[in-house]
Amino acid sequence: METPNTYTTDHIFRESLLRNILESLKRLQTTAAMSIPQQESGHANGDYVINYPNIGLFGVFDSVGSLKNEDSSTPEPAQLAAELIHLLITNARVQGTPISCEYLQNIVKKISRHIVTKYKSARETTVTILVEESLEQDPNRHQKIYIVNAGDSRAYLFRNGQLRHLTLDQARGGTLTFPIEESNQRFEQEQLDGSFATLSAKELLEEQLLLAEANSGTELKNYINSQSQGSTIERIKATKMFELFMTRNWVRNCIGNKKTPVEPTVTELIVLPGDLIVITSDGVHDNLKESQITQIISEGNLMNPHNLAGALIYGASLVSKDPNNDNPRASQDDMSVFIKRY
């Protein structure tokens, strides 16, 4: 009588499971997710960071405003939105649904409608997520990712020592928001040798870069004065910049907004080996200027996202607790960072 083949389906399943576990562990080594609540406030963390390498989903959510009537039965909006997006992306992976700009826009709108309908007293939340088009790691094929944004958290690309914005703040001022008809404008690679094509909405990006590096409203007032002898257009632009700085945290485009339906922007990007995608809540980039974020990353170990994330939060925390209260950028807030290395 023949000995039955011992290499059964059970063995195949176990080997497949082991490969998946090892692949997930490998992916985790290239990502970091870190979040701390506002220092000495005693309140729960209103931020929520997700890190799901097994489905290619990562990002930062930041609750907006205060809970009406202290309704403790209403879930934190950041966590609620994050869990719903996790569920929908998981279903998409299982069912083989193609990931696209349109699909990602639609699920964010769907989640926002659900929260507005089911949770009457819920706060709003910003969302900035990274979604990988494919989970397959093909060395002969460049990885495509999507950056989805609604609100004032930010996504950056760090490449060849330079930090580039992948999102524009969507604040009450409005100028920093993509026009809806341009919401699918893409960052396109001119070459695959490390060069980075500028955003089509170039003027909007220039405004955000100035705000990101400004020390204070006073600095922008000086900028306005320097333009006083310029053209009418230059004076109007300078004045608008000051208004935007003073209202930069008045978020108007977010999940759960009961007055205005959310209009998320989605950016496609081809990532190259060595690229870092960095996502921060406003608690980080309000306290740190653009040059400081760049310096912290440049001086850190690019192969260790955990150390980089910790250094960014530590740096932002030091500024937020400025004992002399003479730093105009100092802001007490929850702080979150996500970093992915490719």
Side-chain angles (χ1 to χ4, degrees):
M1 182 166 147
E2 254 182 46
T3 305
N5 188 350
T6 56
Y7 198 73
T8 63
T9 303
D10 185 52
H11 286 87
I12 296 174
F13 172 77
R14 289 180 182 179
E15 286 187 357
S16 175
L17 181 61
L18 180 60
R19 282 196 300 270
N20 289 337
I21 291 174
L22 292 175
E23 183 62 31
S24 293
L25 289 174
K26 182 180 177 181
R27 286 171 173 261
L28 281 172
Q29 291 174 352
T30 64
T31 64
M34 195 170 296
S35 185
I36 63 170
Q38 179 179 327
Q39 300 292 310
E40 302 174 357
S41 67
H43 71 67
N45 192 345
D47 288 2
Y48 199 77
V49 186
I50 56 174
N51 183 10
Y52 298 117
N54 59 319
I55 60 171
L57 174 65
F58 319 91
V60 170
F61 299 75
D62 183 359
S63 300
V64 178
S66 58
L67 191 64
K68 296 179 181 179
N69 302 322
E70 300 296 325
D71 185 358
S72 59
S73 65
T74 302
E76 280 292 329
Q79 181 176 350
L80 176 61
E83 291 174 350
L84 291 171
I85 285 181
H86 176 227
L87 176 63
L88 292 176
I89 295 296
T90 298
N91 288 342
R93 299 298 191 192
V94 171
Q95 297 170 9
T97 304
I99 302 297
S100 66
C101 290
E102 182 179 5
Y103 172 77
L104 293 170
Q105 280 186 317
N106 288 337
I107 66 170
V108 171
K109 292 178 180 179
K110 180 178 181 180
I111 289 170
S112 185
R113 289 194 299 269
H114 172 77
I115 292 176
V116 168
T117 302
K118 186 170 181 180
Y119 301 99
K120 302 297 183 182
S121 62
R123 289 180 287 170
E124 298 94 359
T125 181
T126 71
V127 53
T128 305
I129 58 173
L130 182 170
V131 184
E132 295 174 335
E133 181 187 49
S134 173
L135 300 180
E136 297 179 3
Q137 302 297 311
D138 185 350
N140 299 316
R141 181 171 175 266
H142 291 288
Q143 175 90 338
K144 181 191 288 186
I145 65 171
Y146 298 91
I147 300 294
V148 186
N149 183 62
D152 63 349
S153 291
R154 291 181 188 165
Y156 304 94
L157 168 68
F158 186 81
R159 174 183 290 171
N160 296 335
Q162 292 187 320
L163 193 70
R164 308 291 189 186
H165 286 245
L166 296 179
T167 58
L168 294 178
D169 294 353
Q170 299 172 337
R172 185 171 177 176
T175 301
L176 297 184
T177 306
F178 273 121
I180 293 175
E181 64 271 15
E182 292 183 22
S183 62
N184 283 329
Q185 290 285 356
R186 303 171 183 180
F187 286 88
E188 297 179 355
Q189 298 303 127
E190 292 174 336
Q191 303 172 5
L192 293 178
D193 61 358
S195 65
F196 187 83
T198 56
L199 185 65
S200 59
K202 183 180 178 182
E203 290 186 352
L204 302 183
L205 181 58
E206 288 174 349
E207 291 179 356
Q208 177 159 310
L209 292 175
L210 180 55
L211 291 177
E213 196 60 22
N215 279 313
S216 66
T218 301
E219 182 173 306
L220 285 172
K221 283 183 179 178
N222 293 336
Y223 170 71
I224 293 173
N225 292 334
S226 71
Q227 300 296 317
S228 61
Q229 302 303 317
S231 67
T232 301
I233 293 178
E234 289 172 333
R235 292 198 302 273
I236 291 174
K237 181 179 179 180
T239 302
K240 185 62 177 177
M241 288 299 299
F242 174 70
E243 294 173 356
L244 287 171
F245 184 85
M246 301 309 293
T247 61
R248 65 192 187 280
N249 299 124
W250 296 4
V251 178
R252 72 178 187 88
N253 188 29
C254 50
I255 290 178
N257 191 323
K258 298 171 181 60
K259 296 181 180 179
T260 307
V262 65
E263 288 291 345
T265 64
V266 184
T267 301
E268 278 187 44
L269 179 70
I270 300 295
V271 288
L272 306 178
D275 283 351
L276 291 180
I277 301 297
V278 181
I279 301 177
T280 59
S281 66
D282 61 346
V284 174
H285 56 252
D286 262 2
N287 284 292
L288 295 177
K289 296 195 297 182
E290 196 90 338
S291 57
Q292 293 172 316
I293 294 175
T294 302
Q295 181 180 3
I296 289 172
I297 296 176
S298 298
E299 294 179 353
N301 181 355
L302 301 184
M303 301 299 291
N304 192 327
H306 292 277
N307 284 356
L308 293 177
L312 286 171
I313 285 185
Y314 178 71
S317 179
L318 287 180
V319 174
S320 73
K321 295 183 290 186
D322 181 8
N324 299 318
N325 293 320
D326 59 1
N327 189 328
R329 290 192 72 93
S331 172
Q332 287 282 336
D333 199 356
D334 304 325
M335 300 177 186
S336 298
V337 175
F338 169 80
I339 297 178
K340 165 75 174 178
R341 174 176 60 80
Y342 285 93

